[in-house]
Amino acid sequence: MNGKNNIAIGFLTMGFFMLYGFLLIYLRDFAPNAKEWAESYSIGKHFETRLAHVHGNLFAFLNILIGYLLIQFRNKLKHIKAISGLALAGLLMPIGILLEVYLGLPPIFVLIGAMSMTASVIWLGVSFLKTNKIVDL
């Protein structure tokens, strides 16, 4: 976990949640119960699934960005594996939302994922602050 996995898994996760967006469009506009689904736009499962879709793509993008930065600055940053692992664990948040909606699981994965992604972003930011020289000119 040095950044490469973040980029690869980030793109795969983004692709999954983009496809999931097509499912949401189908459920809203074309499914047999589309009217009921659309009427519950801001409540219940519909709202939760939209949260998963948005956060899935956001966290996928963050993994791509974090992975790229970890690779580009691997000689200047410390704790690359830990930051990478936390960012990947952050993907548990949107996946956890789907597990709640479809399988009725408790929100523990959502909380673990949210805390992991937050920790990775803050840790990377602090790491950059502690770096004296980013670019060699």
Side-chain angles (χ1 to χ4, degrees):
M1 289 193 280
N2 58 3
K4 176 186 152 253
N5 289 341
N6 298 80
I7 294 172
I9 293 170
F11 275 117
L12 292 171
T13 303
M14 187 177 286
F16 169 78
F17 279 102
M18 290 169 81
L19 289 172
Y20 187 68
F22 289 119
L23 173 64
L24 294 177
I25 291 169
Y26 167 79
L27 292 172
R28 184 191 70 198
D29 296 328
F30 304 109
N33 63 345
K35 185 175 176 11
E36 294 83 18
W37 182 257
E39 288 173 355
S40 68
Y41 189 73
S42 62
I43 58 171
K45 286 186 177 185
H46 190 144
F47 179 71
E48 296 293 325
T49 56
R50 286 184 16 242
L51 282 177
H53 170 66
V54 170
H55 282 86
N57 282 301
L58 171 64
F59 283 22
F61 178 74
L62 283 172
N63 264 286
I64 294 165
L65 180 61
I66 289 168
Y68 177 79
L69 292 171
L70 291 176
I71 291 169
Q72 289 301 308
F73 298 101
R74 66 184 166 270
N75 297 328
K76 303 198 182 322
L77 297 173
K78 297 179 182 176
H79 312 290
I80 288 173
K81 289 186 182 207
I83 295 167
S84 172
L86 284 169
L88 288 169
L91 294 172
L92 287 172
M93 192 257 197
I95 293 167
I97 294 171
L98 295 179
L99 292 174
E100 270 188 84
V101 169
Y102 294 113
L103 300 179
L105 294 180
I108 187 69
F109 297 110
V110 177
L111 297 172
I112 291 170
M115 289 186 295
S116 296
M117 184 58 79
T118 302
S120 72
V121 168
I122 291 171
W123 198 344
L124 184 57
V126 169
S127 296
F128 272 110
L129 281 175
K130 289 183 175 181
T131 303
N132 294 330
K133 191 175 183 184
I134 295 294
V135 179
D136 292 322
L137 297 176

